[in-house]
Amino acid sequence: MSSQNENLLNNEGEFQYKGHSFYILYPNSTKTIEQLTEYEIILIYASHPEFASFTIRKLRGFKDPAMYLKPIFFLKPSNDTNNYLNTISDGSIYNLSQLDALIPSIEEILTANTKVYINNSISYESELIMKMLSFNFTRGRKQINPIPYMLSAINFCYPGLSSSFGYSEENKVFDILELAESEGLISSSFYDKTHYCSKCNNGALYYRSVCPKCSSSNSDTEDIVHHFRCGYVGPISDYKNEIDDTLFCPKCNKNLRHIGVDYDKPSALHTCNSCSNKFQDFEVKAKCMNCEYDNEIEYLIEKEIKKYTITNKGESAILYGYVAMQKEIEEIIGTVKFELFNKMTKFEIERMKYSKHQSFVALLNLKNTNELITKVGRSHQRELIKDIILTVRNSIKPFDIISFRSLSTFVFSINEEKEETALKTVYELSNLLNFLLTDNVPGFDAKFEFDFLVLNTHEHYKKQLDRLIQNYE
Amino acid sequence: MFEFIEEFIAFIKSLTTEHFVRLFWFFIFFEMIRYIILEFVVLLIYKITTKLKTKHTIEAERLFKFDNPFLSIIVPGKNEGENLFKLINSLKEQTYTNFEIIVVDDGSDDETPTIGRKLVKIGLIKHFIRNEIRGGKASAANLALRFAKGKFVIHLDADCSFDNDAIEKIIIPFYLDDKIGAVGGNVAVRNYKETLVTTLQAIEYYDTISISRIVSSNLGIYRVISGAFGAFKKEALDSLKGWDIGPGLDGDITVKIRKLGYKIEFAPEAMCLTNAPNTIKKLTKQRLRWDKSLVRFRMRKHKNIFYPNKSFNFSNFISLFENIMYGFVLNIKWVFYVIDIWFNNASQIEFIFVTNIILYTIANYFKFIVFSLFRTRKNAPISYFLMYIPAMVFYFGYYLRSVRLVAHFQELFFKTSYKDPWNPKKTSRFAKDNNL
């Protein structure tokens, strides 16, 4: 792009180049992340390192693959961008005239993105695993290596994964990696060992030599002097006088002249300026910069940091979908796979043609799913889903079916019912679920929204369902 | 054999009183009078006065409990790590608990630093202080003293263990008399069953050491507070600026405290068990070291006790005089006795030898059984030792005397204590040059 063309950029920073739509994201940009998904490539104006760092992590941490897989570059980066940020971006240019050089890699990424099979999952973990695998795959990386990063709560970041977590919950990265490894999607090998705060699991620790009695690091050190002649032992201040530097023994009043001949210094003595404790061995403590807890070294949490390789099964999951996700859905009693739900909807429409009754498909979407998962934790997630299904099941007829579209969205059929009654059922159900979750999950305000489809016999069943779910993908 | 017995009986029958005294003067005038009659009399007096002083003792105990003094237990040593747990366990059981434990590692080259630091970490000892370079026991004890915060300082050897009231018992005497500056604990042999050498030492500790200390303490001439278990007024140690270079620093510090005008007391009920050397070689090495200190400290370093100057003190004079008299002069006199018999009664020497053995054995049995009535604490049944008493004649009468003679000779003429590896050369050199 020539400098003349640069002048054609509009105020919003969007432009077309070689058939691709670009958007330059400035610090003062007013666009939301959702709005950014419409551009093929994002250029982050990176002359402010804090802005660049915050923005790239936010974009890569976004739940929508249309954003996290998008080619994103730094424009005019400062010299202090770090290795991790460079890894999760797709490269840097210093002015728009260098755009040509980016085109091959942009096309490579966009092509790779089309190969990735993204299906919705009911599992938050599955979504994150797929995100990590697909991001690295589309960047041509089979290795997922931890990268030391100063702003990380666990000292290391994994491309495609760590950006999905806030600072306080970053250690959950290890759970996701372990789960992916247990599913056989990645294999691990040793990379390093590190230590975390025993109270908050944070890796930002600073080590201090402290008084073993009061943990103060404010102390003075003196050599212990042993006078050979009389066996007197004491700190060097015992031997000093106020007039000159000559050393005199306080016991025998002899002059100490020659180290090794008259005296030696067998050890040192530390005096704490805080509690006056005299001691020889400092205690080393590790203070957490996050919660300020003063950890004893032996109680720090030791963690092995691993590097990972995407396995063949992992690649297959990227290209054809995460098999375990389907299995998880099937395991939830009372639900059917979405493909089966489609077929059943088709049969219902066929049945409507003969019996002239009305049937409906309802959709319930929990807007703040991620917040819920964070609050309840992985171990309670499945129980919660079962409770939700049970509640829905109790509100509909036994021959109506339920299916998960994604972790936050599920659909269910309401067959052979009056429209008014069906609508009322869905409305009441969404209120009931809001109440159920808000009441049972402390600090959580559930935000269920619902949608409703009146099935008709003249339109293709798939079109009708797509119309229902398109706003919740 | 029968012929010898018949001749021996005839020899005994032929002995007149005058002849008996002539042949066995050493036993009668020096051994029997000092170690049997005098000790027995003093023990009797001790027993009676102890009864009479009961009220006084109860008052001292009350004062001690009221004062509840903070004590500093110091344990200097090299490569004592493996003994520390046992020692600390023994101290944990004490009825009196207001104390701190300070362990000084004098340049150990084993696991002692790791063990010591761990003990501090788990709160079993207050300080573990390590000297990277070995400076000798005195320097280690002095370093511990620098950290000590207690009103009284108790010096222990790491390989010792204690009765659960030992700490209390060793401190109470300080409340009997304000002038008491140091108290020695009672030491017995823990491994008395291990070898014949340790069994004989156990008998020696019972009689010669423990009983002798009761006696000398009552006579006001008690002179060696064992390094294994001794308590000191902190102010006394501070004014002396601690221990001087060894070997023999236990006796040295006792004399120095005496010189300050303090009294020294023995606490027979403050019981400590230690492991005695289990081979004759180790025992010889230990005793050579102990015996040389008589020449080095009593006769050389502290000879001014005998000078009739301002600081002359009669009990200090008697204390050292008795020590030199019985430990040094009579040991040489015993050689004269052997020469006397050899030249004047050569034809009867074998009968005199056997008679001496019988006399000493009878005396040893008498002492062991009768004196056991005065022992306040026994760590082994008396009956166990009875069969070993005859061997004490050879152990005490011949072996220990010979070792003592060699030690005195070596120290008197060659100052060999300054070459003892027990103390580092760098300090011994100064001690030798300055007659310390």
Short mmCIF file of all heavy atoms in Angstrom, two decimals, chain A residues 349-401:
data_model
loop_
_atom_site.label_atom_id
_atom_site.label_comp_id
_atom_site.label_asym_id
_atom_site.label_seq_id
_atom_site.Cartn_x
_atom_site.Cartn_y
_atom_site.Cartn_z
N ILE A 349 -42.88 -31.90 11.86
CA ILE A 349 -43.50 -31.08 10.81
C ILE A 349 -44.33 -31.97 9.88
O ILE A 349 -45.46 -31.63 9.50
CB ILE A 349 -42.42 -30.29 10.04
CG1 ILE A 349 -41.84 -29.20 10.96
CG2 ILE A 349 -42.98 -29.65 8.77
CD1 ILE A 349 -40.59 -28.52 10.41
N GLU A 350 -43.78 -33.14 9.59
CA GLU A 350 -44.51 -34.10 8.74
C GLU A 350 -45.82 -34.52 9.43
O GLU A 350 -46.87 -34.65 8.81
CB GLU A 350 -43.65 -35.35 8.47
CG GLU A 350 -42.46 -35.09 7.56
CD GLU A 350 -42.86 -34.50 6.20
OE1 GLU A 350 -43.84 -34.99 5.61
OE2 GLU A 350 -42.20 -33.51 5.77
N ARG A 351 -45.71 -34.73 10.73
CA ARG A 351 -46.88 -35.17 11.49
C ARG A 351 -47.96 -34.07 11.53
O ARG A 351 -49.16 -34.35 11.48
CB ARG A 351 -46.44 -35.50 12.93
CG ARG A 351 -47.21 -36.64 13.58
CD ARG A 351 -46.50 -37.15 14.80
NE ARG A 351 -46.32 -36.11 15.81
CZ ARG A 351 -47.20 -35.81 16.74
NH1 ARG A 351 -48.35 -36.45 16.77
NH2 ARG A 351 -46.97 -34.86 17.62
N MET A 352 -47.46 -32.79 11.62
CA MET A 352 -48.38 -31.64 11.68
C MET A 352 -49.25 -31.56 10.42
O MET A 352 -50.39 -31.10 10.46
CB MET A 352 -47.58 -30.33 11.83
CG MET A 352 -47.10 -30.07 13.24
SD MET A 352 -45.83 -28.78 13.28
CE MET A 352 -46.76 -27.38 12.72
N LYS A 353 -48.62 -32.00 9.30
CA LYS A 353 -49.34 -31.93 8.03
C LYS A 353 -50.60 -32.79 8.07
O LYS A 353 -51.57 -32.54 7.39
CB LYS A 353 -48.44 -32.40 6.89
CG LYS A 353 -47.36 -31.39 6.54
CD LYS A 353 -46.44 -31.93 5.45
CE LYS A 353 -45.28 -30.98 5.22
NZ LYS A 353 -44.26 -31.58 4.32
N TYR A 354 -50.57 -33.85 8.87
CA TYR A 354 -51.70 -34.78 8.91
C TYR A 354 -52.67 -34.48 10.04
O TYR A 354 -53.87 -34.55 9.90
CB TYR A 354 -51.18 -36.23 9.04
CG TYR A 354 -50.43 -36.65 7.80
CD1 TYR A 354 -49.05 -36.60 7.73
CD2 TYR A 354 -51.16 -37.09 6.66
CE1 TYR A 354 -48.38 -36.96 6.59
CE2 TYR A 354 -50.47 -37.44 5.50
CZ TYR A 354 -49.08 -37.38 5.48
OH TYR A 354 -48.41 -37.71 4.34
N SER A 355 -52.11 -34.14 11.22
CA SER A 355 -53.01 -33.99 12.38
C SER A 355 -53.50 -32.56 12.60
O SER A 355 -54.33 -32.32 13.46
CB SER A 355 -52.32 -34.50 13.65
OG SER A 355 -51.21 -33.67 13.93
N LYS A 356 -52.93 -31.61 11.89
CA LYS A 356 -53.34 -30.21 11.94
C LYS A 356 -53.16 -29.59 13.34
O LYS A 356 -53.87 -28.68 13.71
CB LYS A 356 -54.82 -30.04 11.51
CG LYS A 356 -55.15 -30.62 10.15
CD LYS A 356 -54.53 -29.79 9.04
CE LYS A 356 -54.91 -30.38 7.67
NZ LYS A 356 -54.07 -29.82 6.60
N HIS A 357 -52.28 -30.08 14.11
CA HIS A 357 -52.04 -29.48 15.44
C HIS A 357 -50.87 -28.50 15.35
O HIS A 357 -50.17 -28.45 14.34
CB HIS A 357 -51.72 -30.56 16.49
CG HIS A 357 -50.43 -31.28 16.22
ND1 HIS A 357 -50.39 -32.43 15.44
CD2 HIS A 357 -49.15 -31.03 16.60
CE1 HIS A 357 -49.12 -32.84 15.37
NE2 HIS A 357 -48.37 -31.99 16.07
N GLN A 358 -50.69 -27.74 16.42
CA GLN A 358 -49.58 -26.78 16.46
C GLN A 358 -48.44 -27.32 17.33
O GLN A 358 -48.68 -27.87 18.40
CB GLN A 358 -50.07 -25.46 17.05
CG GLN A 358 -50.58 -24.49 16.00
CD GLN A 358 -50.67 -23.09 16.57
OE1 GLN A 358 -51.24 -22.91 17.64
NE2 GLN A 358 -50.15 -22.12 15.85
N SER A 359 -47.21 -27.12 16.82
CA SER A 359 -46.02 -27.49 17.64
C SER A 359 -45.02 -26.35 17.59
O SER A 359 -45.01 -25.55 16.65
CB SER A 359 -45.39 -28.77 17.11
OG SER A 359 -46.22 -29.87 17.41
N PHE A 360 -44.15 -26.35 18.59
CA PHE A 360 -43.21 -25.23 18.72
C PHE A 360 -41.82 -25.72 19.10
O PHE A 360 -41.66 -26.81 19.66
CB PHE A 360 -43.69 -24.25 19.81
CG PHE A 360 -45.15 -23.93 19.69
CD1 PHE A 360 -46.11 -24.72 20.35
CD2 PHE A 360 -45.58 -22.87 18.90
CE1 PHE A 360 -47.45 -24.44 20.21
CE2 PHE A 360 -46.93 -22.60 18.79
CZ PHE A 360 -47.87 -23.38 19.43
N VAL A 361 -40.84 -24.89 18.82
CA VAL A 361 -39.47 -25.14 19.36
C VAL A 361 -39.10 -23.89 20.16
O VAL A 361 -39.20 -22.77 19.65
CB VAL A 361 -38.45 -25.39 18.25
CG1 VAL A 361 -37.05 -25.49 18.84
CG2 VAL A 361 -38.78 -26.65 17.47
N ALA A 362 -38.70 -24.13 21.40
CA ALA A 362 -38.30 -23.00 22.25
C ALA A 362 -36.80 -23.03 22.46
O ALA A 362 -36.17 -24.10 22.40
CB ALA A 362 -39.02 -23.09 23.58
N LEU A 363 -36.26 -21.86 22.70
CA LEU A 363 -34.81 -21.77 22.93
C LEU A 363 -34.57 -20.97 24.21
O LEU A 363 -35.21 -19.94 24.44
CB LEU A 363 -34.16 -21.07 21.75
CG LEU A 363 -32.66 -20.78 21.82
CD1 LEU A 363 -32.04 -20.91 20.42
CD2 LEU A 363 -32.34 -19.40 22.36
N LEU A 364 -33.70 -21.48 25.03
CA LEU A 364 -33.29 -20.74 26.23
C LEU A 364 -31.79 -20.51 26.17
O LEU A 364 -31.02 -21.43 25.88
CB LEU A 364 -33.65 -21.53 27.50
CG LEU A 364 -35.11 -21.39 27.96
CD1 LEU A 364 -35.41 -22.41 29.04
CD2 LEU A 364 -35.42 -19.99 28.46
N ASN A 365 -31.39 -19.27 26.43
CA ASN A 365 -29.96 -18.93 26.36
C ASN A 365 -29.54 -18.20 27.64
O ASN A 365 -30.18 -17.23 28.06
CB ASN A 365 -29.72 -18.02 25.14
CG ASN A 365 -28.30 -17.48 25.11
OD1 ASN A 365 -28.07 -16.35 25.50
ND2 ASN A 365 -27.39 -18.29 24.65
N LEU A 366 -28.51 -18.71 28.23
CA LEU A 366 -27.97 -18.05 29.41
C LEU A 366 -26.87 -17.11 28.95
O LEU A 366 -25.82 -17.55 28.45
CB LEU A 366 -27.42 -19.07 30.41
CG LEU A 366 -26.82 -18.50 31.69
CD1 LEU A 366 -27.87 -17.73 32.51
CD2 LEU A 366 -26.22 -19.59 32.55
N LYS A 367 -27.08 -15.80 29.14
CA LYS A 367 -26.16 -14.83 28.57
C LYS A 367 -24.80 -14.82 29.29
O LYS A 367 -23.77 -14.60 28.68
CB LYS A 367 -26.78 -13.42 28.63
CG LYS A 367 -27.88 -13.23 27.62
CD LYS A 367 -28.53 -11.90 27.76
CE LYS A 367 -27.72 -10.82 27.05
NZ LYS A 367 -28.42 -9.53 27.10
N ASN A 368 -24.82 -15.06 30.61
CA ASN A 368 -23.56 -14.99 31.37
C ASN A 368 -23.06 -16.37 31.81
O ASN A 368 -22.81 -16.62 32.98
CB ASN A 368 -23.70 -14.04 32.55
CG ASN A 368 -24.96 -14.31 33.36
OD1 ASN A 368 -25.82 -15.08 32.94
ND2 ASN A 368 -25.06 -13.68 34.51
N THR A 369 -22.95 -17.27 30.82
CA THR A 369 -22.51 -18.64 31.11
C THR A 369 -21.11 -18.69 31.71
O THR A 369 -20.86 -19.42 32.68
CB THR A 369 -22.50 -19.48 29.81
OG1 THR A 369 -23.71 -19.26 29.14
CG2 THR A 369 -22.33 -20.95 30.09
N ASN A 370 -20.18 -17.92 31.12
CA ASN A 370 -18.79 -17.97 31.59
C ASN A 370 -18.69 -17.58 33.06
O ASN A 370 -17.93 -18.18 33.82
CB ASN A 370 -17.90 -17.07 30.74
CG ASN A 370 -17.62 -17.70 29.39
OD1 ASN A 370 -18.05 -18.83 29.13
ND2 ASN A 370 -16.96 -16.96 28.52
N GLU A 371 -19.49 -16.60 33.42
CA GLU A 371 -19.48 -16.16 34.82
C GLU A 371 -19.98 -17.29 35.73
O GLU A 371 -19.42 -17.54 36.80
CB GLU A 371 -20.37 -14.92 34.95
CG GLU A 371 -20.25 -14.24 36.30
CD GLU A 371 -21.35 -13.19 36.50
OE1 GLU A 371 -21.87 -12.67 35.49
OE2 GLU A 371 -21.68 -12.92 37.67
N LEU A 372 -21.00 -17.99 35.24
CA LEU A 372 -21.56 -19.09 36.03
C LEU A 372 -20.52 -20.20 36.21
O LEU A 372 -20.33 -20.72 37.32
CB LEU A 372 -22.81 -19.64 35.33
CG LEU A 372 -23.43 -20.88 35.98
CD1 LEU A 372 -24.02 -20.55 37.34
CD2 LEU A 372 -24.51 -21.48 35.09
N ILE A 373 -19.85 -20.56 35.10
CA ILE A 373 -18.85 -21.65 35.16
C ILE A 373 -17.73 -21.28 36.12
O ILE A 373 -17.27 -22.10 36.92
CB ILE A 373 -18.28 -21.92 33.75
CG1 ILE A 373 -19.38 -22.38 32.79
CG2 ILE A 373 -17.16 -22.95 33.81
CD1 ILE A 373 -20.12 -23.62 33.18
N THR A 374 -17.31 -20.03 36.06
CA THR A 374 -16.24 -19.58 36.96
C THR A 374 -16.68 -19.71 38.41
O THR A 374 -15.92 -20.12 39.27
CB THR A 374 -15.89 -18.10 36.65
OG1 THR A 374 -15.59 -18.00 35.28
CG2 THR A 374 -14.70 -17.63 37.46
N LYS A 375 -17.97 -19.40 38.64
CA LYS A 375 -18.44 -19.42 40.03
C LYS A 375 -18.64 -20.83 40.56
O LYS A 375 -18.28 -21.12 41.71
CB LYS A 375 -19.73 -18.62 40.15
CG LYS A 375 -19.52 -17.10 40.05
CD LYS A 375 -20.51 -16.35 40.89
CE LYS A 375 -20.39 -14.84 40.77
NZ LYS A 375 -19.08 -14.31 40.96
N VAL A 376 -19.18 -21.69 39.76
CA VAL A 376 -19.49 -23.05 40.28
C VAL A 376 -18.30 -23.99 40.17
O VAL A 376 -18.21 -24.97 40.90
CB VAL A 376 -20.72 -23.70 39.61
CG1 VAL A 376 -21.96 -22.88 39.86
CG2 VAL A 376 -20.50 -23.92 38.12
N GLY A 377 -17.37 -23.71 39.26
CA GLY A 377 -16.21 -24.58 39.08
C GLY A 377 -16.56 -25.78 38.24
O GLY A 377 -17.73 -26.14 38.05
N ARG A 378 -15.48 -26.42 37.76
CA ARG A 378 -15.66 -27.51 36.82
C ARG A 378 -16.37 -28.72 37.43
O ARG A 378 -17.20 -29.36 36.81
CB ARG A 378 -14.28 -27.92 36.30
CG ARG A 378 -14.31 -28.98 35.27
CD ARG A 378 -12.97 -29.19 34.63
NE ARG A 378 -13.06 -30.31 33.75
CZ ARG A 378 -12.72 -31.53 34.08
NH1 ARG A 378 -12.21 -31.77 35.27
NH2 ARG A 378 -12.84 -32.53 33.23
N SER A 379 -16.05 -28.97 38.69
CA SER A 379 -16.57 -30.19 39.31
C SER A 379 -18.10 -30.15 39.48
O SER A 379 -18.75 -31.19 39.50
CB SER A 379 -15.89 -30.40 40.66
OG SER A 379 -16.05 -29.25 41.44
N HIS A 380 -18.68 -28.96 39.61
CA HIS A 380 -20.12 -28.87 39.82
C HIS A 380 -20.90 -28.55 38.54
O HIS A 380 -22.12 -28.48 38.54
CB HIS A 380 -20.42 -27.79 40.86
CG HIS A 380 -19.91 -28.15 42.22
ND1 HIS A 380 -18.73 -27.65 42.70
CD2 HIS A 380 -20.39 -29.00 43.15
CE1 HIS A 380 -18.52 -28.15 43.90
NE2 HIS A 380 -19.50 -28.98 44.20
N GLN A 381 -20.13 -28.38 37.47
CA GLN A 381 -20.76 -27.93 36.23
C GLN A 381 -21.79 -28.93 35.70
O GLN A 381 -22.92 -28.56 35.35
CB GLN A 381 -19.63 -27.72 35.22
CG GLN A 381 -20.04 -27.20 33.89
CD GLN A 381 -18.82 -27.16 32.97
OE1 GLN A 381 -17.72 -26.87 33.42
NE2 GLN A 381 -19.02 -27.45 31.72
N ARG A 382 -21.40 -30.21 35.70
CA ARG A 382 -22.30 -31.23 35.15
C ARG A 382 -23.55 -31.41 36.01
O ARG A 382 -24.65 -31.59 35.49
CB ARG A 382 -21.56 -32.56 34.99
CG ARG A 382 -20.50 -32.52 33.91
CD ARG A 382 -19.82 -33.87 33.75
NE ARG A 382 -20.71 -34.83 33.11
CZ ARG A 382 -20.91 -34.91 31.79
NH1 ARG A 382 -20.28 -34.08 30.99
NH2 ARG A 382 -21.71 -35.81 31.29
N GLU A 383 -23.35 -31.31 37.30
CA GLU A 383 -24.51 -31.44 38.21
C GLU A 383 -25.51 -30.32 37.94
O GLU A 383 -26.73 -30.54 37.94
CB GLU A 383 -24.04 -31.32 39.67
CG GLU A 383 -23.41 -32.58 40.19
CD GLU A 383 -22.79 -32.38 41.55
OE1 GLU A 383 -23.34 -31.55 42.33
OE2 GLU A 383 -21.76 -33.00 41.82
N LEU A 384 -24.97 -29.15 37.71
CA LEU A 384 -25.81 -27.99 37.45
C LEU A 384 -26.63 -28.19 36.17
O LEU A 384 -27.83 -27.93 36.13
CB LEU A 384 -24.93 -26.74 37.35
CG LEU A 384 -25.67 -25.43 37.29
CD1 LEU A 384 -26.30 -25.09 38.63
CD2 LEU A 384 -24.71 -24.31 36.88
N ILE A 385 -25.96 -28.69 35.13
CA ILE A 385 -26.65 -28.94 33.86
C ILE A 385 -27.77 -29.96 34.06
O ILE A 385 -28.89 -29.79 33.57
CB ILE A 385 -25.65 -29.41 32.77
CG1 ILE A 385 -24.72 -28.24 32.41
CG2 ILE A 385 -26.37 -29.93 31.53
CD1 ILE A 385 -23.55 -28.61 31.55
N LYS A 386 -27.48 -30.98 34.86
CA LYS A 386 -28.49 -32.01 35.12
C LYS A 386 -29.70 -31.41 35.82
O LYS A 386 -30.86 -31.75 35.53
CB LYS A 386 -27.90 -33.13 35.98
CG LYS A 386 -27.10 -34.14 35.18
CD LYS A 386 -26.53 -35.21 36.10
CE LYS A 386 -25.54 -36.07 35.35
NZ LYS A 386 -24.83 -36.97 36.23
N ASP A 387 -29.45 -30.50 36.76
CA ASP A 387 -30.54 -29.84 37.48
C ASP A 387 -31.40 -29.01 36.53
O ASP A 387 -32.63 -29.01 36.63
CB ASP A 387 -29.97 -28.94 38.59
CG ASP A 387 -29.48 -29.74 39.77
OD1 ASP A 387 -29.83 -30.94 39.85
OD2 ASP A 387 -28.74 -29.18 40.61
N ILE A 388 -30.71 -28.34 35.61
CA ILE A 388 -31.44 -27.49 34.65
C ILE A 388 -32.34 -28.38 33.77
O ILE A 388 -33.52 -28.11 33.55
CB ILE A 388 -30.46 -26.66 33.79
CG1 ILE A 388 -29.78 -25.61 34.67
CG2 ILE A 388 -31.18 -26.00 32.61
CD1 ILE A 388 -28.62 -24.88 34.00
N ILE A 389 -31.76 -29.49 33.30
CA ILE A 389 -32.51 -30.42 32.44
C ILE A 389 -33.73 -30.97 33.18
O ILE A 389 -34.83 -31.07 32.64
CB ILE A 389 -31.60 -31.57 31.95
CG1 ILE A 389 -30.48 -31.02 31.06
CG2 ILE A 389 -32.39 -32.66 31.22
CD1 ILE A 389 -30.96 -30.25 29.85
N LEU A 390 -33.49 -31.31 34.45
CA LEU A 390 -34.59 -31.85 35.26
C LEU A 390 -35.72 -30.84 35.39
O LEU A 390 -36.91 -31.19 35.28
CB LEU A 390 -34.04 -32.23 36.64
CG LEU A 390 -34.94 -33.11 37.50
CD1 LEU A 390 -35.12 -34.49 36.86
CD2 LEU A 390 -34.36 -33.26 38.90
N THR A 391 -35.35 -29.60 35.58
CA THR A 391 -36.36 -28.53 35.70
C THR A 391 -37.15 -28.38 34.41
O THR A 391 -38.39 -28.27 34.43
CB THR A 391 -35.66 -27.19 36.05
OG1 THR A 391 -34.81 -27.41 37.15
CG2 THR A 391 -36.67 -26.10 36.39
N VAL A 392 -36.41 -28.39 33.30
CA VAL A 392 -37.08 -28.26 31.99
C VAL A 392 -37.99 -29.47 31.75
O VAL A 392 -39.15 -29.34 31.35
CB VAL A 392 -36.05 -28.12 30.86
CG1 VAL A 392 -36.74 -28.04 29.49
CG2 VAL A 392 -35.16 -26.90 31.08
N ARG A 393 -37.43 -30.64 32.08
CA ARG A 393 -38.17 -31.88 31.84
C ARG A 393 -39.49 -31.89 32.61
O ARG A 393 -40.52 -32.35 32.11
CB ARG A 393 -37.26 -33.06 32.22
CG ARG A 393 -37.80 -34.45 32.19
CD ARG A 393 -38.36 -34.92 30.88
NE ARG A 393 -37.49 -34.84 29.73
CZ ARG A 393 -37.93 -34.76 28.48
NH1 ARG A 393 -39.24 -34.71 28.23
NH2 ARG A 393 -37.11 -34.70 27.47
N ASN A 394 -39.48 -31.36 33.82
CA ASN A 394 -40.70 -31.31 34.64
C ASN A 394 -41.72 -30.32 34.12
O ASN A 394 -42.88 -30.35 34.52
CB ASN A 394 -40.33 -30.93 36.09
CG ASN A 394 -39.62 -32.07 36.79
OD1 ASN A 394 -39.78 -33.24 36.40
ND2 ASN A 394 -38.81 -31.76 37.78
N SER A 395 -41.29 -29.43 33.23
CA SER A 395 -42.20 -28.40 32.72
C SER A 395 -42.79 -28.76 31.37
O SER A 395 -43.69 -28.06 30.88
CB SER A 395 -41.46 -27.06 32.59
OG SER A 395 -40.92 -26.70 33.81
N ILE A 396 -42.24 -29.78 30.74
CA ILE A 396 -42.76 -30.15 29.41
C ILE A 396 -43.32 -31.57 29.43
O ILE A 396 -43.17 -32.29 30.43
CB ILE A 396 -41.66 -30.00 28.33
CG1 ILE A 396 -40.43 -30.87 28.68
CG2 ILE A 396 -41.25 -28.55 28.16
CD1 ILE A 396 -39.32 -30.82 27.65
N LYS A 397 -43.93 -31.95 28.33
CA LYS A 397 -44.55 -33.29 28.25
C LYS A 397 -43.49 -34.35 28.03
O LYS A 397 -42.41 -34.05 27.48
CB LYS A 397 -45.57 -33.32 27.10
CG LYS A 397 -46.79 -32.48 27.38
CD LYS A 397 -47.64 -32.42 26.14
CE LYS A 397 -48.77 -31.43 26.33
NZ LYS A 397 -49.32 -30.99 25.05
N PRO A 398 -43.77 -35.58 28.42
CA PRO A 398 -42.76 -36.64 28.32
C PRO A 398 -42.26 -36.88 26.90
O PRO A 398 -41.11 -37.28 26.71
CB PRO A 398 -43.48 -37.88 28.85
CG PRO A 398 -44.61 -37.35 29.66
CD PRO A 398 -45.00 -36.04 29.06
N PHE A 399 -43.12 -36.60 25.90
CA PHE A 399 -42.66 -36.88 24.53
C PHE A 399 -41.96 -35.69 23.88
O PHE A 399 -41.52 -35.76 22.75
CB PHE A 399 -43.84 -37.36 23.65
CG PHE A 399 -45.04 -36.48 23.71
CD1 PHE A 399 -45.10 -35.28 22.97
CD2 PHE A 399 -46.15 -36.82 24.51
CE1 PHE A 399 -46.22 -34.48 23.04
CE2 PHE A 399 -47.27 -36.02 24.56
CZ PHE A 399 -47.30 -34.83 23.84
N ASP A 400 -41.85 -34.56 24.60
CA ASP A 400 -41.05 -33.44 24.10
C ASP A 400 -39.57 -33.72 24.35
O ASP A 400 -39.22 -34.39 25.32
CB ASP A 400 -41.46 -32.14 24.81
CG ASP A 400 -42.87 -31.72 24.41
OD1 ASP A 400 -43.29 -32.09 23.30
OD2 ASP A 400 -43.54 -31.04 25.22
N ILE A 401 -38.74 -33.19 23.44
CA ILE A 401 -37.31 -33.52 23.57
C ILE A 401 -36.46 -32.24 23.76
O ILE A 401 -36.85 -31.15 23.35
CB ILE A 401 -36.77 -34.33 22.37
CG1 ILE A 401 -37.09 -33.60 21.06
CG2 ILE A 401 -37.29 -35.74 22.40
CD1 ILE A 401 -36.46 -34.25 19.85
#
